[in-house]
Amino acid sequence: MSLSPKGYVMRCILQEGPINRAAIAKRTSLSIPSVMTITDDLISRGLVQAVGKGESRGGKRPELLSVVPESEYYIGVDIGRGSVRLVILNLSRNVVYGTKEDTGEVHPEEAFADRLCALILRSIEESGVDTAKLVGIGIAMPGLIEQETGHVLFSPDFDWNDIPLQSWLQRKLPYPVLVENANRALALAESDDTQSTGKQAGNSALCVNIGHGIGAALVQDGRLYYGSSGTSGEIGHITVSKDGPLCACGNSGCLEAMASGDAIAQQARDAVRSGIPTALRTLCEHSLENINAKMVFDAAAVGDMVALSIVDKATDYIGIGLAMAINILDPDRIVLCGGLTKNGPAFFDRVVKSTSKRQMRQAGRHVTISVGKKGDYGTAIGAALIIPYNGWRVPALQHLY
Ligand SMILES: [Zn+2]
């Protein structure tokens, strides 16, 4: 779905304001009279305001326009395995409220949805935001989500199958609710601040989330790419080793089964169990359950050969996955997110080295690889952004689409 001229103008002011009308016209390829009509309408709706005068180039000093930050609010909820994070963003994408609580029991599913509603309503009250300006609520969770209905088709993390989460929440909340896949939400958050505003400009970012599992989402020209059946981005389930271990998806040798945080921890447990000498045995205090990916990176950092070998292999496989993505998609940017990126250069430098070794020499010449900047609340922020990015589905925003 492309934006309307009004949507482009709004996005341009949002991302580049304070900005004058002539500059908006240039950035959006619209005529100055069109920009004037649109900005007058946005001002009359209270979404945009004049904030002073810019530099003159001979004539009258042009009026500078900016959005009115408190004219709209969006709620974002990130339902994670361990915790539920909630943020409220204003129109300028600033977090005006944030909270976190333990995810707790997710069965029965409808009881969990009720708890979620209670958290959302409590947060709205605590935040003190003007409820008349609350436009919608975005919910992000891991798993396959049907975009049209917000049904959770399958979430292995939660052991949920065909759960009508969006309808349940919508019945109980007086604001539009949209449910989206967590990786897609995160990709929106990580690509939001650098998106292009012009109609012609291309800007693609592949956001790869490497934590317990591995997932990805592609944002192209400010829109999420879904694919034909809405399942694009399953980079964690490309086969990288045909005889590799069984994966949660039912296939074997998937990237996720070879190189995710859970896979790294599992390989370390197997090594300790085999009796091979390694510092991991004392680090985990002889309890295999204590082993996690961070512990393996810590052991590798002090030269433990077993840990080093696991880290080298996993990061090499991640490089193979990223090189495939570069060869196929040739994106402008790859943004790495998730728990494994917290291991700093020990993770990042290895992955970049492996990627550049594996990608086709002539492919992806312009791609940059970086680590996401939004931190632990990135997915919640992205969940809130689902509302303006899917504005054509939200009654209060339809005039922009
Ligand atoms: Zn798999």
Side-chain angles (χ1 to χ4, degrees):
M1 169 80 64
S2 304
L3 287 176
S4 66
K6 199 180 285 180
Y8 277 111
V9 170
M10 187 65 194
R11 196 194 285 180
C12 183
I13 299 171
L14 189 59
Q15 293 178 339
E16 300 190 32
I19 183 169
N20 67 58
R21 289 177 176 85
I24 296 170
K26 204 169 163 194
R27 294 291 288 126
T28 57
S29 316
L30 293 166
S31 70
I32 288 183
S34 302
V35 169
M36 288 182 73
T37 309
I38 291 171
T39 51
D40 285 352
D41 179 58
L42 291 171
I43 290 169
S44 74
R45 288 172 191 269
L47 297 168
V48 166
Q49 60 190 344
V51 289
K53 305 273 187 185
E55 291 299 310
S56 163
R57 288 211 193 129
K60 250 175 35 180
R61 290 174 64 200
E63 197 170 47
L64 294 175
L65 301 177
S66 191
V67 297
V68 180
E70 56 282 357
S71 59
E72 274 179 7
Y73 294 96
Y74 322 111
I75 293 185
V77 184
D78 164 23
I79 309 175
R81 269 209 319 212
S83 37
V84 175
R85 290 182 168 87
L86 181 150
V87 296
I88 302 181
L89 300 190
N90 64 18
L91 177 62
S92 302
R93 280 44 169 167
N94 294 320
V95 176
V96 297
Y97 177 86
T99 187
K100 179 182 134 174
E101 68 174 42
D102 287 345
T103 304
E105 185 53 62
V106 297
H107 298 101
E109 294 88 340
E110 199 155 8
F112 178 77
D114 287 347
R115 259 180 45 223
L116 213 54
C117 285
L119 169 70
I120 291 166
L121 293 171
R122 197 168 64 241
S123 301
I124 293 170
E125 202 176 321
E126 273 177 24
S127 72
V129 299
D130 180 352
T131 51
K133 292 176 177 167
L134 195 51
V135 174
I137 301 165
I139 310 280
M141 66 172 297
L144 275 180
I145 315 290
E146 188 175 59
Q147 197 207 358
E148 298 77 26
T149 60
H151 266 50
V152 182
L153 297 175
F154 175 49
S155 178
D157 292 61
F158 287 74
D159 190 22
W160 284 11
N161 283 289
D162 203 20
I163 299 299
L165 182 64
Q166 188 170 299
S167 328
W168 285 349
L169 296 175
Q170 192 60 87
R171 273 209 304 266
K172 293 182 176 162
L173 294 167
Y175 310 96
V177 178
L178 295 175
V179 176
E180 183 53 279
N181 167 273
N183 291 320
R184 295 216 169 105
L186 182 59
L188 278 185
E190 292 293 354
S191 61
D192 185 57
D193 50 2
T194 54
Q195 262 154 22
S196 61
T197 53
K199 281 182 195 170
Q200 315 300 332
N203 189 339
S204 55
L206 180 73
C207 180
V208 186
N209 192 2
I210 310 165
H212 292 291
I214 298 178
L218 180 71
V219 179
Q220 169 80 38
D221 292 334
R223 319 293 320 162
L224 280 165
Y225 179 77
Y226 286 87
S228 165
S229 61
T231 63
S232 82
E234 293 294 351
I235 195 171
H237 301 284
I238 52 174
T239 307
V240 290
S241 170
K242 75 182 175 64
D243 302 314
L246 192 67
C247 179
C249 73
N251 201 346
S252 60
C254 293
L255 180 60
E256 181 168 303
M258 303 294 292
S260 65
D262 285 0
I264 288 171
Q266 188 54 46
Q267 288 158 27
R269 282 185 208 108
D270 291 345
V272 171
R273 214 178 274 124
S274 75
I276 191 171
T278 165
L280 288 163
R281 183 168 290 106
T282 40
L283 275 174
C284 74
E285 295 167 338
H286 300 277
S287 175
L288 293 179
E289 287 71 50
N290 291 340
I291 294 181
N292 56 35
K294 184 180 182 305
M295 196 178 283
V296 182
F297 273 89
D298 288 348
V302 293
D304 182 80
M305 294 310 286
V306 169
L308 263 173
S309 154
I310 293 171
V311 164
D312 281 341
K313 210 168 81 182
T315 48
D316 196 23
Y317 276 118
I318 292 169
I320 290 174
L322 296 186
M324 280 190 205
I326 290 173
N327 288 0
I328 296 169
L329 300 170
D330 186 22
D332 292 298
R333 297 187 294 140
I334 291 181
V335 185
L336 304 179
C337 302
L340 286 195
T341 62
K342 292 181 179 171
N343 294 297
F347 172 79
F348 184 76
D349 292 353
R350 281 181 169 90
V351 167
V352 170
K353 194 172 158 200
S354 164
T355 306
S356 61
K357 194 171 80 188
R358 305 280 184 177
Q359 79 192 66
M360 191 187 172
R361 198 151 46 88
Q362 298 85 350
R365 292 189 301 280
H366 304 301
V367 67
T368 59
I369 304 179
S370 61
V371 173
K373 295 187 178 74
K374 293 288 196 283
D376 289 341
Y377 278 82
T379 305
I381 292 168
L385 292 174
I386 288 164
I387 298 300
Y389 277 89
N390 288 272
W392 69 92
R393 299 166 66 193
V394 180
L397 295 177
Q398 271 170 9
H399 65 282
L400 293 174
Y401 287 85

